[in-house]
């Protein structure tokens, strides 16, 4: 039976790869993102699209109303929106503390707040039993991200997912996270990654290669399957062995 799948950050990278996997199963997919033109170009067969800034409560309310009208029930909710703030204008302040505040705020809003607001807005619409809430975290949640802002924002999703798993478990709903390592073809590093940095990141893996959006999408798809019905409050590492986590 076709499921209703809502995917934030669904226009590019991991979110798009996940949308393609679910759509190939015959599921009904809704792609969410801030850039309408990117969503429209995604080209996922049969998918609906809705452009919104998910860190803004009123826009999330509008998304929830759209989901109610189009889907009613949500079987799978995938949070793939986020990133390290490359799409945001930098701080125009010369004060270093202002720049720190800007960086942390941007990362928290795009990675953490967006996921929390969308989840809370759709929580009562999750299929009971069988609903799935899936967060895309990061290897940076375990080892940092340079400034700390991106890694900290992703790490904040971990206790939230555990709280959700505890709350929603009695309804037969699971909540899990997937933590990718270095993944190519996502736009995460902006226009390009420095060759030396890429070589270092690939060299940390046991598989000798970068991850792909398809690697992460396949893991999300499994976590959304009936076979993963007793898997909840977990962080699944998909990083080629570069990090074990805890």
């Amino acid at each position: 039976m076709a499921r209703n799948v809502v995917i934030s950050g669904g226009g590019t990278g991991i979110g798009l790869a996940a949308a393609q996997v679910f759509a190939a199963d015959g599921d009904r997919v809704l792609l969410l993102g801030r850039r309408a033109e990117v969503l429209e170009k995604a080209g996922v067969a049969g998918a609906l699209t809705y452009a919104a800034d998910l860190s803004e409560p009123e826009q999330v309310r509008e998304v929830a109303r759209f989901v109610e009208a189009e889907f009613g029930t949500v079987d799978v909710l995938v949070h793939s929106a986020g990133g390290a703030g490359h799409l945001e204008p930098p701080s125009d302040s010369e004060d270093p503390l202002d720049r720190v505040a800007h960086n942390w705020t941007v990362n928290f809003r795009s990675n953490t707040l967006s996921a929390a607001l969308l989840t809370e807005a759709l929580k009562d619409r999750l299929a009971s039993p069988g609903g799935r809430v899936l967060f895309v975290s990061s290897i940076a949640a375990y080892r940092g991200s340079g400034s700390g802002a991106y890694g900290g924002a992703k790490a904040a999703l971990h206790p939230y997912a555990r709280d959700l798993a505890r709350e929603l478990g009695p309804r037969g709903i699971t909540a899990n996270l997937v933590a990718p390592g270095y993944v190519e073809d996502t736009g995460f590093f902006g226009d390009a990654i420095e060759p030396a940095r890429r070589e270092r990141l690939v060299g940390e893996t046991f598989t000798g290669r970068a991850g792909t959006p398809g690697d992460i999408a396949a893991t999300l798809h499994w976590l959304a399957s009936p076979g993963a019905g007793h898997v909840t409050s977990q962080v699944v590492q998909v990083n080629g062995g570069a990090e074990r986590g805890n």
Side-chain angles (χ1 to χ4, degrees):
M1 182 179 294
R3 297 177 295 177
N4 296 325
V5 182
V6 176
I7 303 176
S8 73
T12 61
I14 292 169
L16 176 56
Q20 292 167 337
V21 170
F22 283 106
D25 264 0
D27 293 328
R28 298 182 66 206
V29 177
L30 169 62
L31 306 180
L32 303 176
R34 289 190 302 170
R35 297 170 294 171
E37 68 279 7
V38 172
L39 296 174
E40 291 165 3
K41 292 178 181 178
V44 179
L48 300 174
T49 64
Y50 194 99
D53 182 343
L54 299 177
S55 67
E56 292 291 341
E58 186 51 45
Q59 294 191 44
V60 175
R61 291 187 190 99
E62 293 295 330
V63 170
R65 285 190 276 268
F66 183 82
V67 169
E68 178 182 7
E70 296 292 336
F71 282 178
T73 299
V74 176
D75 297 286
V76 182
L77 175 57
V78 179
H79 296 286
S80 185
H86 295 304
L87 297 178
E88 299 290 342
S91 171
D92 57 6
S93 174
E94 296 297 324
D95 188 291
L97 288 184
D98 287 343
R99 293 197 295 270
V100 168
H102 174 82
N103 189 31
W104 278 81
T105 300
V106 164
N107 274 275
F108 178 79
R109 286 176 62 86
S110 62
N111 292 287
T112 314
L113 183 60
S114 62
L117 288 175
L118 185 60
T119 301
E120 296 300 321
L122 299 180
K123 192 163 58 176
D124 291 341
R125 301 211 157 271
L126 292 169
S128 303
R132 301 285 189 265
V133 183
L134 301 171
F135 300 89
V136 176
S137 178
S138 171
I139 193 172
Y142 293 94
R143 55 168 59 179
S145 56
S147 71
Y150 173 72
K154 286 299 190 184
L157 293 173
H158 295 202
Y160 178 55
R162 183 166 182 81
D163 286 344
L164 278 175
R166 183 185 296 110
E167 176 187 354
L168 301 178
R171 290 173 51 192
I173 299 169
T174 65
N176 291 289
L177 307 102
V178 176
Y182 170 52
V183 177
E184 293 187 319
D185 301 323
T186 65
F188 177 83
F189 293 95
D191 294 333
I193 184 174
E194 296 176 358
R197 185 179 184 187
R198 181 190 184 278
E199 182 179 0
R200 176 177 62 79
L201 292 173
V202 171
E204 291 175 348
T205 71
F206 299 154
T207 55
R209 69 170 177 87
T212 69
D215 291 326
I216 314 306
T219 305
L220 292 166
H221 189 252
W222 174 73
L223 285 169
S225 73
H230 199 50
V231 178
T232 195
S233 186
Q234 302 301 309
V235 183
V236 181
Q237 306 266 352
V238 185
N239 57 41
E243 174 69 44
R244 291 184 64 188
N246 294 309

